[in-house]
Amino acid sequence: MLPPAARLTRSQDFGLVVRRGRRAGRPRLVVHVLKPDVPTLDSSKVGFVVSKAVGNSVVRHRVYRRLRHVVRPALDELPPGTLVVVRALAPAAEASSSELAADFSSALRKVLR
C-alpha cells in the first residue's frame, strides 16, 4: 500500500502530468513524469490508470496491485515533488510482476534523463 502522502488522487493532477510531463512507453505500460520547476520539499506522488481495455475488474485490480508493488521502492529515489502517472496497457494483464518492474524501471530511466 502506498502512504496517502504519496498518492496522486485529483483528476486535475493526472491531467497536468499527462499533458505537461515527459512520457516513455513500453510494451505493457506508459510512464508520465512531471518534475517540479523549482526545488521543493513535497514528497513525490504517483497515480495509476488501469482502464477496461486491460480486462475485467479482477484483472484490473491485480494489475494495479502489481504496479503499486513495483513503484513503491522507486518513490524514494525520485527527486522531491515529482509527479508520476503509470498507465497500464492491455498486455499488462498477462505480465508477471518482474516484467512490469522491468518495463517500469526502463521507462523511468528514459524519462528522468
Side-chain angles (χ1 to χ4, degrees), residues 4-101:
R7 296 180 200 157
L8 202 57
T9 56
R10 294 181 1 171
S11 176
Q12 296 90 345
D13 293 339
F14 276 87
L16 179 71
V17 174
V18 170
R19 279 192 316 274
R20 293 188 50 214
R22 294 188 63 196
R23 176 184 73 210
R26 294 294 175 262
R28 295 169 200 91
L29 51 87
V30 178
V31 176
H32 300 266
V33 174
L34 181 62
K35 292 193 280 188
D37 296 334
V38 294
T40 179
L41 296 177
D42 295 339
S43 64
S44 297
K45 294 184 179 192
V46 65
F48 301 94
V49 178
V50 185
S51 73
K52 287 186 178 182
V54 174
N56 65 21
S57 178
V58 174
V59 173
R60 290 194 312 268
H61 284 90
R62 182 183 313 127
V63 170
Y64 172 69
R65 286 191 307 269
R66 286 181 178 169
L67 286 173
R68 212 173 47 207
H69 177 75
V70 164
V71 170
R72 184 174 178 139
L75 280 176
D76 298 333
E77 300 168 12
L78 293 172
T82 302
L83 303 178
V84 179
V85 172
V86 180
R87 184 167 44 97
L89 301 175
E94 287 85 30
S96 67
S97 293
S98 60
E99 291 170 331
L100 290 173

